[in-house]
């Protein structure tokens, strides 16, 4: 707990001075298309000993808890099924199906479950893209937990576009991400945005 408190207090300092890629907690994002710096996937997290654990696990299936990590990108989670505990620095937030969770830049985070399982969609928007669009995740403090039907619908569209990969799907997903950032900044900011 002391270590998490220490990281919480000094996360920005670490991000400036730590040699990225050498930290076991730093999550490096590689993009096959530099014009499309977006990550999106669904994770399934199972409690230890849960009867729901599949016999064959995929790389997106996690037992008990994801590995704590941090990165510059803005991470937005949508809880799809079940209930999970989202650990952000020293805070633990209980999230249920339908909840949106925002994890700001350089925040140490992971998701765990106490019993059963949960499924969540994970959207990571590259830090440079956020700032180019005028939404600096180091300067803007978003609410951490809320429900938002518009943002949830955009998650559905992003998921479908990634699955279908129709012509111009990357452009459409980027547009959805811009809309999510605008909705977050309009409706879910802590304090004033300049």
């Amino acid at each position: 707990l002391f270590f998490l408190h220490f990281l919480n207090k000094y996360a920005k300092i670490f991000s400036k001075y730590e040699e990225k890629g050498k930290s076991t907690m730093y999550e490096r994002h590689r993009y096959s298309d530099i014009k499309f710096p977006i990550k999106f996937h669904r994770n399934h997290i199972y409690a230890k000993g849960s009867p729901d654990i599949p016999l064959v696990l995929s790389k997106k299936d996690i037992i008990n808890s994801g590995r704590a990590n941090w990165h510059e990108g803005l991470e937005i989670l949508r809880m799809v099924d079940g209930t999970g505990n989202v650990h952000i620095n020293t805070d633990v937030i209980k999230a249920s199906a339908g909840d949106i969770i925002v994890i700001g830049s350089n925040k140490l985070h992971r998701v765990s479950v106490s019993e059963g399982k949960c499924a969540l969609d994970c959207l990571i928007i590259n830090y440079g893209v956020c700032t180019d669009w005028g939404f600096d995740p180091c300067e803007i403090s978003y609410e951490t937990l809320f429900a938002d039907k518009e943002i949830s619908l955009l998650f559905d569209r992003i998921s479908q576009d990634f699955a279908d990969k129709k012509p111009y799907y990357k452009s459409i997903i980027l547009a959805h991400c811009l809309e999510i950032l605008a909705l977050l900044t309009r409706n879910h900011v802590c304090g004033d945005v300049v």
Side-chain angles (χ1 to χ4, degrees):
L1 187 61
F2 172 77
F3 181 68
L4 286 176
H5 176 71
F6 179 79
L7 282 178
N8 181 33
K9 189 171 181 182
Y10 296 102
K12 284 189 179 183
I13 294 169
F14 282 159
S15 69
K16 291 177 184 173
Y17 297 108
E18 182 180 54
E19 194 173 343
K20 294 176 183 130
K22 303 246 177 180
S23 167
T24 57
M25 291 186 208
Y26 178 73
E27 184 176 84
R28 179 182 301 276
H29 296 141
R30 291 185 170 86
Y31 306 99
S32 57
D33 181 350
I34 60 169
K35 293 180 181 178
F36 187 67
I38 305 294
K39 295 284 185 188
F40 184 83
H41 58 271
R42 179 167 290 176
N43 284 339
H44 299 272
I45 304 173
Y46 302 90
K48 279 185 182 174
S50 170
D52 298 319
I53 297 173
L55 292 174
V56 179
L57 297 173
S58 79
K59 68 180 185 175
K60 296 299 177 191
D61 290 328
I62 301 166
I63 306 298
N64 192 39
S65 174
R67 179 182 65 85
N69 68 86
W70 66 274
H71 44 76
E72 294 87 2
L74 181 66
E75 186 162 338
I76 307 161
L77 306 176
R78 178 182 65 161
M79 195 64 68
V80 176
D81 185 39
T83 300
N85 302 309
V86 183
H87 306 256
I88 304 173
N89 290 335
T90 58
D91 298 324
V92 179
I93 296 132
K94 192 171 195 124
S96 301
D99 286 341
I100 304 289
I101 304 97
V102 179
I103 302 166
S105 248
N106 301 318
K107 302 240 179 181
L108 187 65
H109 60 278
R110 69 183 177 92
V111 179
S112 68
V113 292
S114 303
E115 55 186 51
K117 65 179 180 174
C118 75
L120 56 98
D121 288 333
C122 174
L123 172 66
I124 303 172
I125 306 172
N126 176 276
Y127 175 80
V129 169
C130 291
T131 57
D132 286 351
W133 288 344
F135 305 97
D136 187 336
C138 287
E139 300 294 324
I140 301 171
S141 179
Y142 295 105
E143 293 173 9
T144 305
L145 177 72
F146 53 87
D148 188 304
K149 289 181 182 178
E150 284 182 275
I151 292 174
S152 189
L153 180 60
L154 289 166
F155 264 80
D156 288 337
R157 291 178 179 163
I158 289 170
S159 180
Q160 192 64 53
D161 286 327
F162 263 112
D164 294 346
K165 291 189 175 26
K166 291 180 181 176
Y168 302 100
Y169 79 96
K170 290 180 181 179
S171 298
I172 290 171
I173 289 170
L174 286 169
H176 292 326
C177 289
L178 176 57
E179 188 172 358
I180 286 172
L181 288 171
L183 289 169
L184 282 175
T185 306
R186 175 188 286 169
N187 302 322
H188 302 287
V189 168
C190 302
D192 295 330
V193 178
V194 180

